[in-house]
Structure formats: C-alpha cells, structure tokens
Amino acid sequence: MIRYLRALWAIFTGFSAKSENSDVVDASERISRFVLSKSHVSVQNQRVKYAAFLPPPSRKLSAYRTTTVEEQGIWEIGRTYVAAPQQKAIRGRGDLSANIIRATELDVVPERQPHKLHADVVGWPTEKDEQKMIAVELANQAIAVFPPP
Amino acid sequence: MTAIEPCAGSLGFLNGSDGAAISDVAKHLRNLLFDNALPQLEQAETWNRRELLPANLEEIYLECRWENWDGYGARAVTPSAFEEALVLLSSLPENIPLPEFAGEPDGSIGMQWENGPNRIFALSVSGKGVIIYAGLLGKASKAHGTEVFSDSLPTSLMGYLHRLFG
C-alpha cells in the first residue's frame, strides 16, 4: 500500500531520483521532519503538533528529502542519523511538500551533512509569535506518520 | 428456575409493572438516579479531567526539563514556565476544551487546541509573564501576537478560543 502511494506521489509530482541530487529542492519534493519528543506527537489524534516545527535557536529546522526513499528506508535514516546520535527513539515524523513550506515564505535548502538527503528549512522570522504562526500552518498541513511497532 | 423469578420480578419493578406501591419506589429511585446521581457523576467526570491535566502537564515538564530534550538542541523547560502554565491552566473557563501540551525549543511550555482542519490555536508561556500565541481560525483567518499574562487568560485570547470552537 505504501509502495503504491509512493508511486502515485512520484507520478503526480513528476519527481525523479535525478532531482534529489540537485542543489535546488524541487517544489514537489516531500520533506520529512523526524520527531524525537513524545510531547510533539499526538498518537491519539494522529497528529504532529506545531511545536515539532518550531525552529531551534539557529533558525535552521532540520529535515530530510524523502521522496525517493522507501518507507523502511526513511525510518532507517531517522534512526541512524537523527535518533541514534541523540540516544533517543523516534516518535513519529511530519511529512510536507516543499511547496507547502515555501508557501509560508520559508525555504528548503540541501545541507548534505550528516546525510546526502538532509536539508534545512530556513528563512524563519526572528519574532517568536511569527515563528509560531508558521509552525501552526505547517502542522495543519503535515501528514503524520508513526514508526512501525 | 425458581431462583430466577425474583430477578425477573425486580426487573419488572423498574418498569413499574409490579403494582403501584413498588412503582412509587421505582419512581423515587429513578428520580434519585437521573436528578441527582447522574448530574453529580458528570460533574465528577469533568472535575477528574481537570485534575488529570496537571498530571499531563507535569509529564511534559518531566520530559522537557533537560537541555536538548528534543534531540535538536532545545533549551530546558524551567520550573517557572511550568508554574505559569499551571496558573494559566487553572484560569481556563470550563467551557473551553482541554488543550494538549508540548515543550518548545526555547524552553517554553505550549498548549494546543484543535477543532478540525484549519482550526488550530497555540499559545505558550515561559515564566516571564508573557503569552505568545498563534492560531488558524478557519481557512482565511489567522492571528498571532503577544499578550501580558497576570493570573488570568487575556480576553483577546479567550475570544480566539471561543471563535475556534464557535
């Protein structure tokens, strides 16, 4: 089922593996934000909360370009490059298209460390209430995905 | 078989089918149940939900009181942020649904309400007497800003919450 959905995603977005190596993130690419805090997911409501999309003090929100990666591979990236270095477990992830992120006036740029598919969501305003507004908008559109048991 | 008969009789008495005297007792019990016990039970349920909330909030605090609790370099949630969240919580009117809590990367405690697509309201406190809020109140309506917090939820924020659930 997931494979089928991915194929559909690729068909509708016209995304190819080639563009994943590009220095420009395509508008159709899926961007995944991994969540390590229990407080940032609502399993009961099947949601990733807005707080998961608030930027850190550096104002670079860490994410991954996952359009061409199989579901199992996405979790593997999350476990290896996000959770393991922090000695934490993955609680879920929020998926958004780059297009949705850019509609909030943010941008997604490749930042190939610690993984070639790593990217930063940048362009955050400095005021906290403006950051919160954008985080709420992203949470509103994000698709919550939870790790297999 | 004979042991079952009294049970059948007692079911009948609830329906008032065992004669006027028993029916009066049934009426009295029914009144007690529906006029007194059930409303009290409902009140107790509400009370319990409110009582559980500080426990949920405490759970968030316990998870987020360390540096880097989110794995992305978040600052620790402070005791003063926790205490302020408790005060704010106690000032919420009963007709506002209960929020979900979350730690924020700058060490604030956030509260989130949702009422379907495009209807999310979030606010946070950090122990400094300020509430920072943002909300989607429908497809074409949003609001964000900062309010001073002194023991009660500002009326402007109350208005947004009523709009969210209106």
Side-chain angles (χ1 to χ4, degrees):
Chain A
M1 181 65 180
I2 287 165
R3 191 169 294 177
Y4 173 72
L5 288 173
R6 282 190 189 291
L8 271 182
W9 176 286
I11 290 165
F12 285 123
T13 59
F15 182 82
S16 69
K18 188 184 166 190
S19 62
E20 196 171 76
N21 294 317
S22 167
D23 282 338
V24 178
V25 177
D26 192 86
S28 62
E29 284 188 51
R30 181 181 48 221
I31 305 299
S32 297
R33 166 72 170 172
F34 291 104
V35 178
L36 304 185
S37 168
K38 264 197 293 189
S39 90
H40 285 177
V41 293
S42 173
V43 178
Q44 191 180 348
N45 296 330
Q46 294 285 294
R47 300 279 293 186
V48 174
K49 298 179 194 171
Y50 78 93
F53 296 101
L54 283 170
S58 68
R59 287 190 284 141
K60 291 179 179 177
L61 187 79
S62 176
Y64 283 81
R65 305 162 73 184
T66 58
T67 308
T68 58
V69 188
E70 293 286 333
E71 186 66 15
Q72 197 182 340
I74 297 174
W75 292 120
E76 196 52 44
I77 289 173
R79 275 193 292 270
T80 307
Y81 296 95
V82 182
Q86 304 299 330
Q87 296 180 304
K88 291 178 185 291
I90 292 187
R91 304 294 178 178
R93 66 171 209 263
D95 288 350
L96 289 156
S97 75
N99 196 35
I100 287 172
I101 294 169
R102 287 184 178 136
T104 64
E105 297 180 15
L106 299 178
D107 197 8
V108 192
V109 294
E111 176 54 61
R112 298 183 189 280
Q113 291 295 329
H115 185 277
K116 65 176 182 174
L117 294 177
H118 183 256
D120 282 334
V121 179
V122 297
W124 289 89
T126 52
E127 296 301 318
K128 175 86 187 278
D129 63 307
E130 293 174 11
Q131 292 179 355
K132 198 188 291 287
M133 188 69 251
I134 293 173
V136 165
E137 289 178 298
L138 295 180
N140 182 50
Q141 302 223 46
I143 296 168
V145 190
F146 296 96
Chain B
M1 286 300 285
T2 47
I4 296 172
E5 282 173 8
C7 281
S10 63
L11 285 171
F13 116 88
L14 278 174
N15 294 325
S17 61
D18 281 3
I22 295 174
S23 182
D24 286 345
V25 174
K27 270 184 197 166
H28 180 64
L29 284 176
R30 212 178 276 141
N31 289 344
L32 276 178
L33 183 67
F34 288 103
D35 295 344
N36 300 317
L38 282 182
Q40 277 179 23
L41 195 67
E42 278 167 13
Q43 269 183 357
E45 207 169 277
T46 308
W47 184 81
N48 281 337
R49 283 174 70 211
R50 293 277 173 195
E51 283 297 298
L52 281 172
L53 264 180
N56 293 343
L57 185 56
E58 190 178 15
E59 206 173 286
I60 298 295
Y61 173 61
L62 291 176
E63 186 200 342
C64 305
R65 65 184 166 149
W66 317 102
E67 294 292 325
N68 193 36
W69 51 266
D70 68 346
Y72 292 106
R75 292 176 186 146
V77 169
T78 61
S80 58
F82 174 61
E83 284 164 20
E84 200 165 72
L86 275 175
V87 174
L88 194 151
L89 194 60
S90 67
S91 74
L92 286 176
E94 288 286 328
N95 60 346
I96 298 294
L98 306 172
E100 288 191 286
F101 303 105
E104 294 193 357
D106 66 352
S108 302
I109 288 185
M111 299 183 191
Q112 173 175 331
W113 290 263
E114 285 192 48
N115 190 20
N118 305 308
R119 298 181 81 80
I120 302 177
F121 194 82
L123 59 79
S124 62
V125 289
S126 60
K128 295 171 185 164
V130 171
I131 299 175
I132 297 174
Y133 68 91
L136 286 172
L137 304 161
K139 206 162 187 178
S141 181
K142 55 187 182 181
H144 59 91
T146 303
E147 289 279 358
V148 172
F149 177 57
S150 53
D151 295 347
S152 64
L153 193 68
T155 49
S156 61
L157 300 190
M158 200 83 83
Y160 288 133
L161 286 171
H162 282 302
R163 271 179 69 185
L164 186 75
F165 294 103

